[in-house]
Amino acid sequence: MARKVLVLGEVRDGSLRNVSFEAIAAAKTVAEGGEVVAVLAGETVSALGTELVQYGADRVVVVENDKLKQYTSDGFAQALLAVVDQEKPEGLVLGHTALGKDLAPRIAGKLSSGLISDAVAVEAAGGNIVFTRPIYSGKAFEKKIVTDGLIFATVRPNNIAPLAQDESRSGEVSSLSVDIKDLRAIIKEVVRKASEGVDLSEAKVVISGGRGVKSAEGFEPLKELANVLGGAVGASRGACDADYCDYSLQIGQTGKVVTPDLYIACGISGAIQHLAGMSNSKVIVAINKDPEANIFKIADYGIVGDLFEVVPLLTEEFKKLKV
Ligand code: FAD
Protein backbone atom coordinates (compact mmCIF):
# COMPACT_ATOMS: atom_id res chain seq x y z
CA MET A 1 0.00 0.00 0.00
CA ALA A 2 1.60 3.24 -1.16
CA ARG A 3 1.70 5.95 1.50
CA LYS A 4 2.69 9.58 1.75
CA VAL A 5 5.35 9.91 4.46
CA LEU A 6 6.76 13.11 5.99
CA VAL A 7 10.32 13.35 7.29
CA LEU A 8 11.81 16.22 9.27
CA GLY A 9 15.20 17.39 7.99
CA GLU A 10 17.30 18.25 11.03
CA VAL A 11 19.62 21.23 10.66
CA ARG A 12 22.56 22.02 12.86
CA ASP A 13 24.96 24.91 12.28
CA GLY A 14 23.55 25.45 8.82
CA SER A 15 23.99 21.83 7.66
CA LEU A 16 21.71 18.83 7.54
CA ARG A 17 22.46 16.14 10.09
CA ASN A 18 23.07 12.64 8.72
CA VAL A 19 20.10 11.33 10.63
CA SER A 20 17.88 13.29 8.21
CA PHE A 21 19.09 11.09 5.35
CA GLU A 22 18.66 7.95 7.46
CA ALA A 23 15.09 9.06 8.26
CA ILE A 24 14.42 9.47 4.52
CA ALA A 25 15.63 5.89 3.92
CA ALA A 26 13.29 4.68 6.70
CA ALA A 27 10.46 6.76 5.25
CA LYS A 28 10.98 5.14 1.83
CA THR A 29 10.35 1.75 3.43
CA VAL A 30 7.24 3.06 5.20
CA ALA A 31 6.03 4.71 1.97
CA GLU A 32 6.11 1.39 0.05
CA GLY A 33 6.45 3.18 -3.27
CA GLY A 34 4.47 6.25 -2.19
CA GLU A 35 5.75 9.79 -1.80
CA VAL A 36 8.38 10.92 0.72
CA VAL A 37 8.05 14.60 1.58
CA ALA A 38 10.80 16.22 3.63
CA VAL A 39 10.06 19.17 5.89
CA LEU A 40 12.56 21.89 6.72
CA ALA A 41 11.89 24.40 9.47
CA GLY A 42 14.10 27.32 10.43
CA GLU A 43 14.85 30.94 9.72
CA THR A 44 16.62 30.48 6.37
CA VAL A 45 16.88 26.82 5.44
CA SER A 46 15.45 26.48 1.94
CA ALA A 47 18.90 26.13 0.34
CA LEU A 48 19.18 22.71 2.02
CA GLY A 49 16.10 21.36 0.24
CA THR A 50 18.02 20.09 -2.80
CA GLU A 51 20.25 17.90 -0.65
CA LEU A 52 17.21 16.18 0.88
CA VAL A 53 15.95 15.43 -2.63
CA GLN A 54 19.36 14.04 -3.59
CA TYR A 55 19.08 11.64 -0.65
CA GLY A 56 15.69 10.35 -1.71
CA ALA A 57 12.97 12.85 -0.77
CA ASP A 58 10.48 13.34 -3.61
CA ARG A 59 9.54 16.83 -2.52
CA VAL A 60 10.43 19.32 0.19
CA VAL A 61 8.19 21.72 2.09
CA VAL A 62 10.04 24.58 3.77
CA VAL A 63 8.67 26.59 6.68
CA GLU A 64 10.76 29.70 7.22
CA ASN A 65 10.06 32.11 10.04
CA ASP A 66 12.30 34.20 12.26
CA LYS A 67 10.63 32.57 15.27
CA LEU A 68 12.15 29.27 14.10
CA LYS A 69 15.72 30.57 14.23
CA GLN A 70 16.37 28.50 17.36
CA TYR A 71 14.67 25.19 17.99
CA THR A 72 11.79 25.35 20.46
CA SER A 73 9.30 22.53 20.88
CA ASP A 74 6.47 25.01 20.64
CA GLY A 75 7.65 26.71 17.42
CA PHE A 76 8.73 23.56 15.58
CA ALA A 77 5.54 21.74 16.60
CA GLN A 78 3.48 24.55 15.09
CA ALA A 79 5.53 24.39 11.87
CA LEU A 80 5.42 20.61 11.53
CA LEU A 81 1.73 20.39 12.42
CA ALA A 82 0.95 22.97 9.74
CA VAL A 83 2.71 20.78 7.16
CA VAL A 84 0.90 17.69 8.46
CA ASP A 85 -2.36 19.59 8.09
CA GLN A 86 -1.51 20.52 4.49
CA GLU A 87 -0.10 17.17 3.39
CA LYS A 88 -2.28 14.70 5.37
CA PRO A 89 0.47 12.04 5.49
CA GLU A 90 0.01 8.40 6.44
CA GLY A 91 3.51 8.22 7.91
CA LEU A 92 5.90 10.50 9.81
CA VAL A 93 9.57 9.85 10.60
CA LEU A 94 11.94 11.90 12.77
CA GLY A 95 15.46 11.23 14.03
CA HIS A 96 15.71 9.93 17.60
CA THR A 97 17.94 12.86 18.48
CA ALA A 98 17.61 15.36 21.32
CA LEU A 99 15.33 17.35 19.01
CA GLY A 100 13.33 14.34 17.84
CA LYS A 101 12.92 13.01 21.37
CA ASP A 102 11.53 16.37 22.43
CA LEU A 103 9.34 17.05 19.42
CA ALA A 104 7.88 13.65 18.50
CA PRO A 105 5.82 13.01 21.66
CA ARG A 106 4.37 16.52 21.44
CA ILE A 107 3.35 15.96 17.82
CA ALA A 108 1.94 12.53 18.67
CA GLY A 109 -0.06 14.09 21.49
CA LYS A 110 -1.43 16.85 19.28
CA LEU A 111 -2.39 14.33 16.57
CA SER A 112 -3.72 11.77 19.07
CA SER A 113 -1.36 9.31 17.44
CA GLY A 114 0.84 6.54 18.76
CA LEU A 115 4.61 6.75 18.41
CA ILE A 116 7.24 4.06 17.90
CA SER A 117 10.32 5.64 19.35
CA ASP A 118 14.00 4.76 18.92
CA ALA A 119 13.62 2.32 16.03
CA VAL A 120 16.87 0.71 14.89
CA ALA A 121 15.42 -1.05 11.85
CA VAL A 122 12.33 -0.90 9.67
CA GLU A 123 11.12 -3.35 7.06
CA ALA A 124 8.01 -4.16 5.07
CA ALA A 125 7.08 -7.73 6.00
CA GLY A 126 3.89 -9.78 5.88
CA GLY A 127 1.83 -6.82 4.73
CA ASN A 128 3.00 -4.67 7.64
CA ILE A 129 5.65 -2.06 8.31
CA VAL A 130 7.67 -3.65 11.09
CA PHE A 131 9.89 -1.55 13.36
CA THR A 132 12.57 -3.05 15.59
CA ARG A 133 13.43 -1.22 18.79
CA PRO A 134 15.63 -2.05 21.76
CA ILE A 135 14.05 -2.70 25.15
CA TYR A 136 15.45 -3.38 28.64
CA SER A 137 18.42 -1.06 28.00
CA GLY A 138 19.33 -2.84 24.78
CA LYS A 139 19.29 -6.38 26.21
CA ALA A 140 16.40 -7.41 23.96
CA PHE A 141 14.59 -6.17 20.88
CA GLU A 142 10.90 -5.94 20.18
CA LYS A 143 9.14 -5.72 16.84
CA LYS A 144 6.23 -3.34 16.52
CA ILE A 145 3.62 -2.58 13.91
CA VAL A 146 1.00 0.14 13.72
CA THR A 147 -2.43 -1.39 13.18
CA ASP A 148 -4.40 1.79 12.73
CA GLY A 149 -3.75 5.45 11.96
CA LEU A 150 -0.51 7.34 11.38
CA ILE A 151 2.70 5.31 11.18
CA PHE A 152 4.85 7.58 13.32
CA ALA A 153 8.40 6.68 14.37
CA THR A 154 11.71 8.11 15.46
CA VAL A 155 14.86 6.36 14.20
CA ARG A 156 18.07 6.02 16.16
CA PRO A 157 21.05 7.69 14.44
CA ASN A 158 23.60 5.43 12.73
CA ASN A 159 21.34 2.39 12.38
CA ILE A 160 19.46 2.76 9.11
CA ALA A 161 21.69 3.17 6.08
CA PRO A 162 20.92 6.30 4.06
CA LEU A 163 20.45 6.02 0.31
CA ALA A 164 23.44 7.03 -1.78
CA GLN A 165 23.40 10.72 -2.71
CA ASP A 166 22.21 11.13 -6.29
CA GLU A 167 22.92 14.60 -7.61
CA SER A 168 20.81 13.99 -10.70
CA ARG A 169 17.58 13.66 -8.69
CA SER A 170 15.22 16.58 -8.78
CA GLY A 171 12.12 17.42 -6.80
CA GLU A 172 9.99 20.43 -5.96
CA VAL A 173 11.06 22.61 -3.02
CA SER A 174 8.03 24.66 -2.01
CA SER A 175 7.45 26.96 0.92
CA LEU A 176 4.59 27.09 3.35
CA SER A 177 3.92 30.26 5.25
CA VAL A 178 3.01 29.50 8.85
CA ASP A 179 1.96 32.13 11.35
CA ILE A 180 3.93 30.92 14.36
CA LYS A 181 1.91 31.98 17.37
CA ASP A 182 3.64 33.55 20.33
CA LEU A 183 6.17 31.15 21.77
CA ARG A 184 5.93 30.44 25.46
CA ALA A 185 9.69 30.00 25.70
CA ILE A 186 12.11 32.24 23.85
CA ILE A 187 15.74 31.23 23.57
CA LYS A 188 17.88 34.33 23.95
CA GLU A 189 21.26 32.72 23.56
CA VAL A 190 22.78 29.28 23.16
CA VAL A 191 26.04 28.81 25.02
CA ARG A 192 27.82 25.83 23.55
CA LYS A 193 30.17 23.64 25.49
CA ALA A 194 33.50 23.76 23.73
CA SER A 195 33.54 20.41 21.98
CA GLU A 196 36.39 18.99 20.03
CA GLY A 197 35.92 17.15 16.76
CA VAL A 198 33.17 14.76 15.78
CA ASP A 199 29.67 14.68 17.32
CA LEU A 200 29.57 11.67 19.65
CA SER A 201 26.05 10.51 18.82
CA GLU A 202 26.72 10.40 15.06
CA ALA A 203 30.37 9.29 15.13
CA LYS A 204 31.31 6.20 13.13
CA VAL A 205 34.18 5.52 15.53
CA VAL A 206 34.07 6.07 19.30
CA ILE A 207 37.06 5.70 21.60
CA SER A 208 35.84 5.56 25.19
CA GLY A 209 37.75 5.83 28.41
CA GLY A 210 36.81 4.58 31.86
CA ARG A 211 38.19 4.84 35.35
CA GLY A 212 41.20 2.89 34.08
CA VAL A 213 42.30 6.05 32.26
CA LYS A 214 43.16 7.36 35.74
CA SER A 215 43.23 11.14 35.08
CA ALA A 216 42.17 13.88 32.68
CA GLU A 217 45.63 13.66 31.08
CA GLY A 218 45.06 9.93 30.67
CA PHE A 219 42.47 10.78 28.00
CA GLU A 220 45.16 12.31 25.75
CA PRO A 221 46.23 9.02 24.07
CA LEU A 222 42.53 8.26 23.46
CA LYS A 223 42.02 11.66 21.84
CA GLU A 224 45.01 11.02 19.61
CA LEU A 225 43.62 7.65 18.50
CA ALA A 226 40.20 9.23 17.90
CA ASN A 227 41.89 11.90 15.83
CA VAL A 228 43.68 9.40 13.62
CA LEU A 229 40.47 7.40 13.08
CA GLY A 230 38.27 10.47 12.59
CA GLY A 231 36.24 9.45 15.63
CA ALA A 232 34.89 10.94 18.83
CA VAL A 233 35.90 10.41 22.44
CA GLY A 234 33.37 9.01 24.91
CA ALA A 235 33.53 7.92 28.54
CA SER A 236 32.04 5.73 31.22
CA ARG A 237 30.27 7.29 34.14
CA GLY A 238 33.16 6.12 36.28
CA ALA A 239 35.48 8.45 34.36
CA CYS A 240 32.97 11.33 34.50
CA ASP A 241 32.34 10.88 38.24
CA ALA A 242 36.09 10.91 38.83
CA ASP A 243 36.22 14.26 37.00
CA TYR A 244 38.52 12.96 34.29
CA CYS A 245 36.16 14.36 31.65
CA ASP A 246 32.90 16.19 31.12
CA TYR A 247 29.53 14.47 31.62
CA SER A 248 28.64 15.35 28.02
CA LEU A 249 30.91 12.41 27.05
CA GLN A 250 29.09 9.87 29.22
CA ILE A 251 27.78 6.81 27.39
CA GLY A 252 25.26 4.49 28.95
CA GLN A 253 21.88 4.18 30.52
CA THR A 254 21.99 7.69 31.95
CA GLY A 255 24.24 9.09 29.23
CA LYS A 256 24.27 8.96 25.44
CA VAL A 257 23.38 5.92 23.38
CA VAL A 258 25.81 5.35 20.53
CA THR A 259 25.91 2.81 17.70
CA PRO A 260 29.15 3.46 15.83
CA ASP A 261 30.79 1.08 13.37
CA LEU A 262 33.68 0.74 15.81
CA TYR A 263 33.64 1.21 19.60
CA ILE A 264 36.93 0.92 21.48
CA ALA A 265 36.46 0.67 25.25
CA CYS A 266 39.65 1.52 27.16
CA GLY A 267 39.83 0.79 30.88
CA ILE A 268 36.07 0.23 31.17
CA SER A 269 34.85 -2.72 33.25
CA GLY A 270 31.59 -3.18 31.33
CA ALA A 271 28.89 -2.46 33.92
CA ILE A 272 25.39 -3.15 32.64
CA GLN A 273 24.57 0.57 32.73
CA HIS A 274 27.50 1.28 30.40
CA LEU A 275 26.59 -1.56 28.03
CA ALA A 276 23.12 -0.04 27.69
CA GLY A 277 24.68 2.82 25.76
CA MET A 278 27.03 1.00 23.42
CA SER A 279 26.23 -2.72 23.12
CA ASN A 280 24.64 -2.25 19.69
CA SER A 281 27.86 -0.89 18.20
CA LYS A 282 28.80 -2.87 15.10
CA VAL A 283 32.30 -3.87 16.22
CA ILE A 284 33.39 -3.63 19.85
CA VAL A 285 37.03 -3.72 20.90
CA ALA A 286 37.89 -3.83 24.61
CA ILE A 287 41.24 -3.02 26.16
CA ASN A 288 41.46 -3.96 29.82
CA LYS A 289 44.14 -5.18 32.24
CA ASP A 290 41.73 -7.62 33.84
CA PRO A 291 41.07 -10.71 31.68
CA GLU A 292 37.87 -11.33 33.69
CA ALA A 293 36.40 -7.88 32.99
CA ASN A 294 32.74 -8.03 31.97
CA ILE A 295 33.35 -5.90 28.87
CA PHE A 296 35.10 -8.87 27.22
CA LYS A 297 31.80 -10.77 27.25
CA ILE A 298 30.34 -8.46 24.64
CA ALA A 299 33.54 -7.49 22.83
CA ASP A 300 34.22 -8.78 19.31
CA TYR A 301 37.95 -8.31 19.93
CA GLY A 302 39.57 -8.19 23.34
CA ILE A 303 43.05 -6.98 24.22
CA VAL A 304 44.23 -7.87 27.71
CA GLY A 305 46.82 -5.25 28.58
CA ASP A 306 47.65 -1.81 29.86
CA LEU A 307 45.77 0.78 27.84
CA PHE A 308 48.68 3.21 28.13
CA GLU A 309 50.79 0.73 26.16
CA VAL A 310 48.12 -0.61 23.81
CA VAL A 311 46.42 2.64 22.73
CA PRO A 312 49.62 4.41 21.50
CA LEU A 313 50.59 1.23 19.61
CA LEU A 314 47.20 1.17 17.89
CA THR A 315 47.55 4.87 17.04
CA GLU A 316 50.94 4.28 15.46
CA GLU A 317 49.67 1.32 13.42
CA PHE A 318 46.56 3.18 12.22
CA LYS A 319 48.75 6.14 11.23
CA LYS A 320 50.80 3.81 9.02
CA LEU A 321 47.61 2.53 7.36
CA LYS A 322 46.56 6.09 6.59
CA VAL A 323 49.78 7.04 4.79
P1 FAD B 1 35.41 0.58 36.83
O1 FAD B 1 34.26 -0.31 37.02
O2 FAD B 1 36.17 1.02 38.03
O3 FAD B 1 36.39 -0.13 35.80
C1 FAD B 1 37.68 0.33 35.49
C2 FAD B 1 38.32 -0.75 34.61
O4 FAD B 1 39.57 -0.27 34.16
C3 FAD B 1 38.58 -2.06 35.35
O5 FAD B 1 37.96 -3.11 34.62
C4 FAD B 1 40.10 -2.21 35.34
O6 FAD B 1 40.53 -3.54 35.16
C5 FAD B 1 40.47 -1.37 34.14
N1 FAD B 1 41.82 -0.79 34.17
C6 FAD B 1 42.43 -0.13 35.20
N2 FAD B 1 43.62 0.33 34.81
C7 FAD B 1 43.81 -0.06 33.52
C8 FAD B 1 44.84 0.09 32.58
N3 FAD B 1 45.96 0.79 32.87
N4 FAD B 1 44.72 -0.47 31.35
C9 FAD B 1 43.60 -1.17 31.03
N5 FAD B 1 42.56 -1.35 31.89
C10 FAD B 1 42.66 -0.79 33.11
N6 FAD B 1 27.94 3.90 33.97
C11 FAD B 1 28.16 4.29 32.70
O7 FAD B 1 29.24 4.09 32.14
N7 FAD B 1 27.15 4.93 32.02
C12 FAD B 1 25.95 5.18 32.53
O8 FAD B 1 25.10 5.79 31.87
C13 FAD B 1 25.69 4.76 33.87
N8 FAD B 1 24.49 4.97 34.45
C14 FAD B 1 24.26 4.48 35.71
C15 FAD B 1 22.99 4.60 36.26
C16 FAD B 1 22.74 4.07 37.52
C17 FAD B 1 21.35 4.21 38.09
C18 FAD B 1 23.77 3.45 38.24
C19 FAD B 1 23.50 2.87 39.60
C20 FAD B 1 25.03 3.34 37.71
C21 FAD B 1 25.30 3.86 36.44
N9 FAD B 1 26.56 3.75 35.87
C22 FAD B 1 26.75 4.14 34.57
C23 FAD B 1 27.74 3.33 36.65
C24 FAD B 1 28.14 1.90 36.40
O9 FAD B 1 27.42 1.05 37.28
C25 FAD B 1 29.66 1.71 36.69
O10 FAD B 1 29.93 2.12 38.01
C26 FAD B 1 30.57 2.47 35.75
O11 FAD B 1 30.20 2.21 34.41
C27 FAD B 1 32.00 2.04 35.97
O12 FAD B 1 32.86 2.79 35.19
P2 FAD B 1 34.23 2.17 34.71
O13 FAD B 1 34.02 0.90 33.97
O14 FAD B 1 34.98 3.25 34.02
O15 FAD B 1 35.01 1.92 36.11
Side-chain angles (χ1 to χ4, degrees):
M1 175 201 159
R3 299 180 184 88
K4 184 194 278 189
V5 183
L6 292 193
V7 176
L8 181 68
E10 218 180 287
V11 182
R12 185 193 278 174
D13 298 333
S15 305
L16 284 160
R17 296 189 66 182
N18 272 341
V19 72
S20 313
F21 311 133
E22 295 166 3
I24 290 174
K28 285 264 182 206
T29 306
V30 177
E32 292 195 285
E35 192 182 26
V36 172
V37 181
V39 181
L40 277 171
E43 191 183 32
T44 37
V45 285
S46 57
L48 300 169
T50 313
E51 205 179 346
L52 290 166
V53 171
Q54 291 173 350
Y55 275 95
D58 298 304
R59 207 154 54 77
V60 182
V61 178
V62 183
V63 182
E64 288 182 326
N65 192 304
D66 56 2
K67 289 184 184 153
L68 300 174
K69 184 175 181 187
Q70 299 285 358
Y71 171 79
T72 57
S73 0
D74 199 1
F76 270 55
Q78 291 182 45
L80 188 52
L81 285 167
V83 183
V84 169
D85 192 43
Q86 172 181 277
E87 298 291 333
K88 314 263 184 297
E90 282 104 17
L92 180 53
V93 183
L94 271 62
H96 195 70
T97 56
L99 185 155
K101 284 187 250 185
D102 182 62
L103 186 59
R106 175 178 286 247
I107 298 289
K110 295 274 186 198
L111 296 174
S112 301
S113 155
L115 170 65
I116 295 176
S117 72
D118 201 15
V120 294
V122 54
E123 59 184 331
N128 289 309
I129 300 298
V130 184
F131 293 90
T132 306
R133 61 184 301 277
I135 49 172
Y136 305 125
S137 301
K139 287 193 283 298
F141 291 89
E142 66 175 359
K143 295 204 181 266
K144 288 213 145 183
I145 59 165
V146 175
T147 52
D148 190 23
L150 184 73
I151 301 182
F152 187 9
T154 59
V155 292
R156 187 185 282 196
N158 266 346
N159 279 266
I160 292 165
L163 307 177
Q165 185 173 14
D166 177 357
E167 292 185 0
S168 68
R169 280 192 102 243
S170 59
E172 184 197 24
V173 179
S174 61
S175 68
L176 176 66
S177 164
V178 181
D179 175 24
I180 304 289
K181 303 271 179 313
D182 280 345
L183 301 176
R184 276 169 287 181
I186 294 169
I187 296 175
K188 295 279 192 194
E189 189 189 4
V190 175
V191 183
R192 290 264 166 98
K193 273 216 167 115
S195 72
E196 298 161 37
V198 186
D199 176 3
L200 189 52
S201 52
E202 286 196 349
K204 297 283 176 206
V205 176
V206 174
I207 316 293
S208 264
R211 227 187 308 255
V213 164
K214 295 193 173 68
S215 64
E217 296 71 48
F219 265 94
E220 289 307 319
L222 277 62
K223 286 182 188 163
E224 224 178 296
L225 179 56
N227 225 356
V228 169
L229 293 175
V233 172
S236 71
R237 178 156 145 189
C240 301
D241 284 345
D243 215 11
Y244 302 161
C245 62
D246 192 84
Y247 278 101
S248 60
L249 300 191
Q250 185 185 320
I251 289 166
Q253 189 181 315
T254 45
K256 293 197 166 82
V257 175
V258 296
T259 35
D261 292 342
L262 174 64
Y263 187 90
I264 307 185
C266 311
I268 293 178
S269 58
I272 190 83
Q273 296 90 352
H274 186 75
L275 304 188
M278 45 65 73
S279 61
N280 293 322
S281 304
K282 294 182 187 78
V283 175
I284 298 171
V285 177
I287 305 166
N288 199 302
K289 279 203 301 202
D290 174 9
E292 302 298 323
N294 198 46
I295 192 84
F296 288 128
K297 291 193 185 135
I298 61 142
D300 298 286
Y301 300 94
I303 303 174
V304 178
D306 185 334
L307 72 94
F308 295 106
E309 288 169 22
V310 177
V311 172
L313 283 174
L314 286 177
T315 306
E316 284 316 305
E317 290 304 314
F318 281 123
K319 268 188 193 161
K320 284 183 205 161
L321 288 177
K322 285 198 117 183
V323 185

